[in-house]
Amino acid sequence: MTYKFNDIKLDKGMYSESGKSFTQVLEALDPSENYKGTAFENLDAYQRQLKRFDIRVHGVGSDMVEKFFNTTETAVLFPEYVARSVKAGMEEGDILSGITATVTTINGMDYRSIYSTPSAEDKALKHVAEGAAIPTTEVKASSHLVSLHKRGRMLVASYEAIRFQRLDLFSVMLRQIGGQIMRMHLEDAIDVICNGDGNNNAAQAFAVGDATIGGTAGTLSYDELVAFWNTFDPYSMNTLLVSPDVMLKILKCGEFQNPLTGLNFQGTGELSNPLGAKLIRTSALGAGKAIGLDKGYALERITAGDISVEYDRLIDRQLERAAITSISGFAKLYTEASKVLSV
């Protein structure tokens, strides 16, 4: 059987088609749906090109970096390999998906989101008499644009330095770059949650020792956690993002000392939370801080496409210096769906 992917002419212009990624361009020329029931059914168009040129990027038997530069066509595949490896690193330590309600993809660097700020009167569930007006919920466009930020790293390496390195090892380096980029985006998200997105919607802040939370500043007990949880009505505090020192204080609460919690943590590494919220630790949050949020209503992530790499440098100059970037921004949806606690 003759497969179409063997006849595709690869060139670097495939990276510059407006509104399409390299893989999407390949898929248009060589649709994956044509391979159902074949040995290539589980491969996408890019992976079929790797198969075509016998380039193995994973495992003990992975090829060396120089395999990508054997021909002008195989060199075209290298930037996509870099982008996919970086994206894998971003997904490995991904916290953003656990704190965002939705992801919006746009073309541009500025975005105007929508929001709704219901009053206490609007939230009341009233009986609607026959012929009476139905209560309304007003949805508005944000007053200020949400700015997107480009985050990235510069990959600096000569072809001579890495040509004999295995692709599996080189992927580790690229995944680490992806992890660093995701950390930058997470810091942006935390800043928006705490300080707002420019539309006067900073999160309400509480502190251990104040009139609402109670307790003594610098300490944390289950009572203060419950008081913080109680401030979320009518939302649900289903996610708790905490700094490492606050995580230690939470784990030392008596409610975490029961045998079932210990067995679950030792066996799976997953922490159960007496408040029913997913507990996420991150050093991107300042010491003594915790963010509680209703994941389904608190935050919108806006992206301007996928991972971007300087394909010209990677193909023509065989590395040297190449920027790897990702563009994202964040908008608050419902201000009361996220709150900050200082311990």
Side-chain angles (χ1 to χ4, degrees), residues 219-222 225 228 237 240-257 261 271-275 278-281 289-291 341 343:
T219 66
L220 184 65
S221 71
Y222 188 65
L225 286 174
F228 185 54
M237 191 185 76
L240 194 58
L241 195 66
V242 301
S243 61
D245 63 315
V246 173
M247 173 68 89
L248 285 176
K249 287 182 171 66
I250 291 176
L251 292 178
K252 290 178 180 179
C253 290
E255 286 70 18
F256 277 94
Q257 306 305 313
T261 296
L271 290 165
S272 58
N273 192 326
L275 302 174
K278 182 178 181 180
L279 195 57
I280 303 174
R281 179 190 62 181
K289 296 291 184 181
I291 294 176
L341 177 67
V343 178

Side-chain angles (χ1 to χ4, degrees), residues 2-306:
T2 302
Y3 294 108
K4 188 175 181 180
F5 66 81
N6 288 313
D7 303 321
I8 294 175
K9 178 64 176 176
L10 300 176
D11 65 81
K12 67 180 183 180
M14 292 177 167
Y15 285 97
S16 56
E17 288 200 21
S18 179
K20 286 186 177 182
S21 67
F22 179 72
T23 297
Q24 288 172 334
V25 173
L26 283 178
E27 285 287 350
L29 297 172
D30 181 38
S32 292
E33 61 186 26
N34 295 340
Y35 294 88
K36 290 182 178 179
T38 74
F40 302 101
E41 182 176 9
N42 296 322
L43 303 179
D44 63 24
Y46 175 74
Q47 292 168 327
R48 287 192 293 273
Q49 291 301 311
L50 293 179
K51 192 78 172 177
R52 170 189 176 185
F53 293 104
D54 191 30
I55 300 175
R56 297 183 296 277
V57 298
H58 299 299
V60 177
S62 64
D63 288 308
M64 295 179 182
V65 172
E66 69 172 355
K67 187 74 173 284
F68 271 110
F69 296 97
N70 282 346
T71 69
T72 55
E73 284 196 281
T74 53
V76 172
L77 298 173
F78 189 63
E80 179 67 9
Y81 154 76
V82 172
R84 290 188 178 212
S85 298
V86 171
K87 186 175 182 179
M90 293 179 68
E91 293 173 348
E92 283 176 359
D94 179 24
I95 292 177
L96 284 178
S97 61
I99 63 174
T100 51
T102 185
V103 179
T104 302
T105 302
I106 65 170
N107 291 318
M109 290 296 291
D110 294 300
Y111 173 73
R112 193 183 300 276
S113 186
I114 58 174
Y115 71 99
S116 176
T117 308
S119 64
E121 180 72 12
D122 295 330
K123 295 177 186 176
L125 301 178
K126 299 180 179 179
H127 173 69
V128 180
E130 184 176 350
I134 298 176
T136 61
T137 296
E138 187 175 7
V139 177
K140 304 176 182 178
S142 300
S143 301
H144 295 87
L145 293 174
V146 175
S147 296
L148 276 64
H149 303 285
K150 179 184 287 188
R151 302 301 186 199
R153 305 290 295 183
M154 183 68 72
L155 176 62
V156 181
S158 68
Y159 173 60
E160 289 73 18
I162 66 168
R163 61 179 296 189
F164 297 121
Q165 296 300 323
R166 296 285 179 184
L167 287 168
D168 205 37
L169 174 61
F170 192 49
S171 295
V172 174
M173 308 299 157
L174 296 173
R175 292 202 308 271
Q176 196 260 354
I177 290 175
Q180 291 173 332
I181 294 174
M182 182 57 78
R183 164 67 179 251
M184 296 177 195
H185 286 320
L186 177 60
E187 290 174 352
D188 289 339
I190 289 173
D191 179 66
V192 168
I193 290 173
C194 295
N195 303 312
D197 58 19
N199 290 285
N200 194 30
N201 53 5
Q204 188 175 5
F206 299 92
V208 173
D210 67 19
T212 301
I213 303 301
T216 303
T219 66
L220 184 65
S221 71
Y222 188 65
D223 289 344
E224 287 87 69
L225 286 174
V226 171
F228 185 54
W229 169 86
N230 196 48
T231 64
F232 277 80
D233 184 67
Y235 297 99
S236 298
M237 191 185 76
N238 50 39
T239 304
L240 194 58
L241 195 66
V242 301
S243 61
D245 63 315
V246 173
M247 173 68 89
L248 285 176
K249 287 182 171 66
I250 291 176
L251 292 178
K252 290 178 180 179
C253 290
E255 286 70 18
F256 277 94
Q257 306 305 313
N258 70 75
L260 290 179
T261 296
L263 286 173
N264 184 56
F265 180 51
Q266 294 171 28
T268 67
E270 293 291 329
L271 290 165
S272 58
N273 192 326
L275 302 174
K278 182 178 181 180
L279 195 57
I280 303 174
R281 179 190 62 181
T282 176
S283 58
L285 194 59
K289 296 291 184 181
I291 294 176
L293 50 87
D294 190 326
K295 176 187 178 297
Y297 298 96
L299 194 66
E300 175 188 14
R301 182 183 179 189
I302 306 101
T303 68
D306 216 333

Side-chain angles (χ1 to χ4, degrees), residues 103 152 313 318:
V103 179
R313 287 179 178 268
Q318 298 179 341

